[in-house]
């Protein structure tokens, strides 16, 4: 009943909720789920699953307030502040294409450059981590489903079934967390040093420096203008051939960074006042970009999971699905 109510909320012609932080994330999650391709598992392509992901998409915001070190470590996952040339913080930082392999290496490189890790943010790593977690759970789901279908021992079959069902709940939460960070990466203010009014020593176009810029955009304006149907209509076709999570994450963030100056020009022209259609189009395009990317990230994780190895001792997903390997010990554990 809760899932159905949530879906009714986001499926309405106009969504009236408190802010981008809730409405935007819900809409991105629901839109992506409603446009998943038909080769993904059926449990994902239901109204209830879409509504659940819409709610789980808010989870990283709802984690806040737990205390330290939790908050400092997680709050900086929501953004990466790049300058106008696409470097983290300023000319001393790296581009998205040059990100180190590990977040610890990223932190160390920023510190060596004299930059503040906490102010820089680490959104690209949050996206990649969430995607890799989803791929793992998809791989386990494939193995559990295949084993359940073939297992003649009723007790073992029941265990496979129960673990598959647990995995399905984990997958919905995985997608929700991924949705949140992919959605953050579609919001201009989460990719720039100009995250709340124009920052820096120069301001040649005399953009606003108001510290309410970010909140005004995410809040009242978005809640007045956001439409689920318009977001879904603005989504672009799926594109996952040759998908590489690192390269795709970088391109998504850079594409959003390219909308920062247009945003400030529109703000200067009054496009984000009342229900100005120019601002509504901008909101729709940004949310549609997030939903399109989320759909593609989820679809790519499903595809990659087919060639994975999981469990201990490790078993190949393809071997289990073909019926050539019994995964029981690898799934249950040797002990």
């Amino acid at each position: 009943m809760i899932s159905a109510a949530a879906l009714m909320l986001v499926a309405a012609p106009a969504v009236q909720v408190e802010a981008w932080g809730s409405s935007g994330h819900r809409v991105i999650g629901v839109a992506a789920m409603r446009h998943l391709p038909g080769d993904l598992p059926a449990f994902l392509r239901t109204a209830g699953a879409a509504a659940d992901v819409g709610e789980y998409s808010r989870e990283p915001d709802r984690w806040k307030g737990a205390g330290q070190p939790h908050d400092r470590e997680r709050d900086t996952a929501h953004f990466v502040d790049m300058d106008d040339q696409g470097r983290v913080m300023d000319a001393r930082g790296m581009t998205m294409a040059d990100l180190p392999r590990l977040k610890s290496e990223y932190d160390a490189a920023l510190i060596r450059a004299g930059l503040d890790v906490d102010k820089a943010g680490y959104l690209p790593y949050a996206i990649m981590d969430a995607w890799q977690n989803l791929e793992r759970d998809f791989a386990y789901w494939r193995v559990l489903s295949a084993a359940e279908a073939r297992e003649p021992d009723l007790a073992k079959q029941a265990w496979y079934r129960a673990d598959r069902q647990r995995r399905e709940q984990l997958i919905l939460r995985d997608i929700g967390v991924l949705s949140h960070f992919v959605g953050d990466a579609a919001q201009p203010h989460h990719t720039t040093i100009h995250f709340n009014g124009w920052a820096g020593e120069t301001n040649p176009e005399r953009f606003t420096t108001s510290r309410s810029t970010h909140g005004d955009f995410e809040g009242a304006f978005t809640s007045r203008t956001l439409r689920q149907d318009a977001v879904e209509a603005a989504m672009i076709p799926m594109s996952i051939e040759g998908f590489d999570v690192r390269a795709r994450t970088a391109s998504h963030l850079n594409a959003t960074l390219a909308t920062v100056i247009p945003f400030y020009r529109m703000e200067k022209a009054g496009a984000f006042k009342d229900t100005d259609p120019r601002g509504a189009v901008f909101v729709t395009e940004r949310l549609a970009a997030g939903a399109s990317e989320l759909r593609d990230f989820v679809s790519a994780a499903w595809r990659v999971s087919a060639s994975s190895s999981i469990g201990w001792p490790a078993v190949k997903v393809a071997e289990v699905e073909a019926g050539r390997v019994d995964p029981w010990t690898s799934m249950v554990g040797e002990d």
Side-chain angles (χ1 to χ4, degrees):
M1 290 177 64
I2 293 173
S3 294
L7 185 61
M8 289 174 64
L9 171 67
V10 295
V15 180
Q16 294 294 327
V17 290
E18 36 198 74
W20 178 294
S22 294
S23 62
H25 284 300
R26 280 194 185 102
V27 165
I28 287 172
V30 170
M33 293 296 286
R34 287 173 54 156
H35 290 268
L36 290 176
D39 63 328
L40 268 71
F43 81 89
L44 292 174
R45 293 179 286 106
T46 68
D52 285 344
V53 167
E55 293 306 315
Y56 284 137
S57 295
R58 302 170 55 221
E59 280 302 287
D61 278 342
R62 299 201 284 187
W63 294 339
K64 296 177 179 179
Q68 303 302 345
H70 178 283
D71 290 352
R72 174 45 57 196
E73 288 301 307
R74 297 199 181 204
D75 288 355
T76 49
H78 297 258
F79 64 91
V80 58
D81 286 355
M82 291 184 278
D83 67 9
D84 301 337
Q85 285 69 51
R87 291 186 171 276
V88 178
M89 296 294 284
D90 60 35
R92 295 170 292 172
M94 70 285 289
T95 67
M96 291 298 98
D98 295 327
L99 287 173
R101 184 174 62 95
L102 301 177
K103 179 185 175 292
S104 58
E105 296 170 345
Y106 168 80
D107 291 349
L110 293 176
I111 291 169
R112 283 196 304 271
L115 297 169
D116 189 325
V117 173
D118 290 337
K119 290 183 178 179
Y122 66 93
L123 178 55
Y125 291 96
I127 294 172
M128 291 186 284
D129 177 80
W131 182 83
Q132 289 169 336
N133 200 75
L134 174 61
E135 184 275 331
R136 292 286 81 192
D137 278 333
F138 271 150
Y140 275 100
W141 187 91
R142 284 180 180 272
V143 166
L144 291 164
S145 298
E148 178 188 352
R150 291 192 176 94
E151 180 57 60
D153 183 311
L154 294 182
K156 289 183 176 181
Q157 184 186 77
W159 187 91
Y160 282 133
R161 181 181 304 111
D163 207 47
R164 172 184 56 78
Q165 292 169 345
R166 284 189 289 267
R167 194 66 48 180
E168 290 175 359
Q169 288 304 307
L170 287 173
I171 286 169
L172 292 176
R173 188 176 186 273
D174 289 345
I175 297 174
V177 172
L178 177 62
S179 173
H180 186 94
F181 293 125
V182 169
D184 280 348
Q187 214 279 46
H189 299 101
H190 287 253
T191 66
T192 177
I193 58 173
H194 312 296
F195 56 86
N196 203 12
W198 194 261
E201 296 179 358
T202 62
N203 188 354
E205 297 190 47
R206 297 183 180 179
F207 293 138
T208 181
T209 58
S210 169
R211 302 297 290 172
S212 66
T213 302
H214 189 149
D216 289 346
F217 170 66
E218 286 190 339
F221 182 81
T222 294
S223 67
R224 287 197 304 270
T225 58
L226 183 148
R227 294 177 59 94
Q228 179 81 32
D229 55 352
V231 170
E232 293 189 30
M235 291 173 66
I236 63 175
M238 191 170 80
S239 174
I240 61 171
E241 293 305 317
F243 184 94
D244 176 86
V245 68
R246 184 171 294 271
R248 188 62 171 263
T249 299
S251 66
H252 178 39
L253 287 161
N254 284 330
T256 302
L257 180 66
T259 68
V260 171
I261 290 177
F263 166 86
Y264 276 98
R265 286 174 177 160
M266 292 177 68
E267 192 282 335
K268 185 178 179 180
F272 299 108
K273 296 182 182 299
D274 301 320
T275 55
D276 191 300
R278 296 170 298 173
V281 169
F282 185 87
V283 168
T284 297
E285 289 176 347
R286 288 290 82 222
L287 293 174
S292 299
E293 289 292 336
L294 178 61
R295 174 205 59 209
D296 288 7
F297 270 70
V298 172
S299 301
W302 170 250
R303 180 177 293 187
V304 170
S305 70
S307 58
S308 292
S309 295
I310 56 167
W312 186 259
V315 293
K316 293 182 178 180
V317 172
E319 293 289 304
V320 176
E321 290 189 316
R324 292 190 288 268
V325 173
D326 182 348
W328 177 254
T329 300
S330 298
M331 294 297 99
V332 174
E334 287 186 299
D335 58 345

